[in-house]
Amino acid sequence: MATRRRLTFLVAALLGLTLALALLGPRPSAAQGESVHLALGNPSGAVADPAQPANFLIVRPQYALGYLRDDGIPRWVAWRLVAADIGPVARYMGNFFRDTTLPTTPAVPIAWYRVRHSDYTGSGYDRGHMVSSEDRTATVEDNRATFILTNVLPQSPQNNRGPWLDLENLGRDLADLGDEIYQVAGPDGNLLDAMGNPVRLPTALASGPVRVPARTWKALLAVPAGAGAPIARVTTATRLVAISIPNDKDDPGVRQTDDWEQYVTTADTVEASTGLDLFDALPPTVQRVIEARADVGALPYTLTISGTAALSATVGAAFPSLAVRVTGPGGEAIPGVAVTFAALGGAANADLAGDVVATATTDADGVAVITAVAGAAEGSYTLEASIAGVFTPAVFSLSNLAPAEAPETRVFLPAVVR
Ligand code: MN
Ligand code: MN
């Protein structure tokens, strides 16, 4: 009897403890500054605050994301991929996991719907990983973390298994070569049905909480390996690939055999469409250049400076010979290619400060020329010439020189004698 009473007490105590832990809610996410996955930014300024259910930050060792409670999908997921993340672990083959770290409140125990594996069943949409399973194969725990349904959104099979997978493979190839790959991916818009109604998965909840995006996008920044903070290793020459893929399962325009190159866009376009600021921790001068450039893949072009790379001009005068030559694999001239010239280096030149400044198209000899005038301020800066998709830009060093000083003129006034 006494034993049973003691046992009852123990069970009650354990229940109480469990309840108390439940009331405390999930363990708070690591501060954003501590996550390598947010080293280049937090695209929506998401916070781990249950009072912000449309911008809720979840940080795991494997990735970070901003969650949309009422849509049952992430707003964005960010993760770093390095060669060490790719290991021997086989893909987890079980059901996807509900995210048990989502907040609950004492008053409404299931205030945050936890999307289930079966919510996707029979919908015709794949459980589309944002951080792919193959990007996390160093440990069993890492791999399983990608199967938590807050890292997942409904993706049409031809998108998920076609061009989306194709770009995932590029990320892993670049990581294998030694780059640090910073990826951000997520949904854009809400797919509409034939009646113009937003498409949601027919889950058990009457409201159907899982939104089917109209498109899915990804931005992939390939940061060269090196010491120090990754942010310091990103320049205007750093490769940034952005894609956006239509996500309607009934869309015959997207095919599983498609390459990612067919869905190239710019990070700027993704930002304008989603309201996010990708890679917002990077200097604005760098964001402006790389986010405006469409990386269309590896073009077989070589870019070389025609003439001298270090040029100077007196303020107000034109720099001579700002010209580059574009050649193909056999050294042949490539006409009709648009070359972008972009300046870095602050206020050294009023006309050429930190933005894309000019484009010129190559002539029959493969040469593109621009005219640039040295601004009023003395100083030096760099000007990069590149073609979208060519990652060895030609770099000019330019200097604005002060005009030669005019000879001093002395005026001798007659002495006044009183
Ligand atoms: Mn996938
Ligand atoms: Mn940005």
Side-chain angles (χ1 to χ4, degrees):
M1 196 66 185
T3 308
R4 177 175 290 180
R5 197 172 294 131
R6 206 173 299 131
L7 199 62
T8 309
F9 173 78
L10 190 65
V11 168
L14 278 175
L15 278 175
L17 184 66
T18 309
L19 188 64
L21 284 174
L23 291 180
L24 285 174
R27 240 176 339 139
S29 297
Q32 118 178 29
E34 295 168 19
S35 173
V36 294
H37 310 300
L38 297 173
L40 299 186
N42 174 333
S44 63
V47 285
D49 174 5
Q52 297 202 40
N55 200 26
F56 183 71
L57 180 67
I58 297 174
V59 177
R60 301 199 161 93
Q62 297 83 7
Y63 51 86
L65 65 95
Y67 191 62
L68 295 164
R69 178 194 63 185
D70 296 342
D71 289 331
I73 58 174
R75 186 171 178 185
W76 53 265
V77 182
W79 69 106
R80 186 190 69 168
L81 171 65
V82 293
D85 294 318
I86 301 165
V89 172
R91 181 187 177 93
Y92 163 74
M93 293 303 286
N95 279 3
F96 285 58
F97 305 105
R98 283 188 281 182
D99 191 339
T100 55
T101 69
L102 288 175
T104 55
T105 63
V108 190
I110 36 174
W112 287 54
Y113 181 69
R114 295 169 179 178
V115 176
R116 300 165 307 177
H117 181 90
S118 60
D119 289 334
Y120 281 71
T121 305
S123 68
Y125 284 91
D126 284 356
R127 298 171 189 88
H129 285 88
M130 293 296 95
V131 184
S132 78
S133 164
E134 290 74 15
D135 279 6
R136 292 288 180 262
T137 52
T139 70
V140 168
E141 190 185 357
D142 282 358
N143 188 250
R144 289 194 176 208
T146 69
F147 287 81
I148 299 173
L149 283 157
T150 41
N151 174 48
V152 168
L153 50 73
Q155 224 173 1
S156 77
Q158 64 269 42
N159 171 3
N160 178 35
R161 306 170 198 183
W164 191 263
L165 171 64
D166 193 39
L167 186 59
E168 289 177 346
N169 288 333
L170 174 71
R172 287 187 284 274
D173 288 348
L174 294 174
D176 275 339
L177 292 170
D179 285 346
E180 267 178 50
I181 311 300
Y182 287 83
Q183 299 182 76
V184 194
D188 188 3
N190 197 151
L191 187 67
L192 301 178
D193 66 17
M195 307 296 291
N197 297 315
V199 178
R200 301 205 149 217
L201 296 185
T203 63
L205 284 198
S207 59
V210 183
R211 177 180 123 205
V212 179
R215 314 177 69 90
T216 63
W217 55 268
K218 176 184 279 188
L220 183 159
L221 186 68
V223 182
I231 209 167
R233 279 178 268 133
V234 180
T235 70
T236 53
T238 304
R239 187 169 189 189
L240 171 56
V241 176
I243 59 165
S244 177
I245 305 175
N247 192 49
D248 183 345
K249 68 179 172 63
D250 299 319
D251 180 356
V254 179
R255 285 152 304 173
Q256 200 169 323
T257 50
D258 288 349
D259 296 320
W260 67 262
E261 288 92 338
Q262 294 167 246
Y263 298 93
V264 165
T265 183
T266 65
D268 276 348
T269 306
V270 172
E271 290 184 340
S273 188
T274 62
L276 300 172
D277 185 356
L278 303 174
F279 308 113
D280 62 293
L282 293 175
T285 48
V286 174
Q287 286 186 60
R288 259 203 296 276
V289 175
I290 65 177
E291 293 181 354
R293 184 169 61 208
D295 180 329
V296 296
L299 293 175
Y301 295 156
T302 304
L303 209 57
T304 45
I305 290 173
S306 307
T308 20
L311 297 170
S312 18
T314 305
V315 293
F319 287 101
S321 313
L322 276 170
V324 294
R325 185 156 189 270
V326 178
T327 49
E332 72 279 17
I334 307 286
V337 175
V339 179
T340 301
F341 294 77
L344 293 178
N349 188 302
D351 303 321
L352 295 172
D355 213 336
V356 174
V357 292
T359 59
T361 303
T362 55
D363 61 16
D365 297 323
V367 176
V369 188
I370 62 159
T371 303
V373 174
E378 293 173 50
S380 57
Y381 56 99
T382 47
L383 186 75
E384 296 181 339
S386 62
I387 307 170
V390 173
F391 311 105
T392 50
V395 178
F396 295 90
S397 299
L398 302 186
S399 307
N400 297 349
L401 303 180
E405 278 190 26
E408 208 172 316
T409 311
R410 293 186 182 183
V411 179
F412 295 96
L413 296 174
V416 178
V417 180
R418 286 174 184 265

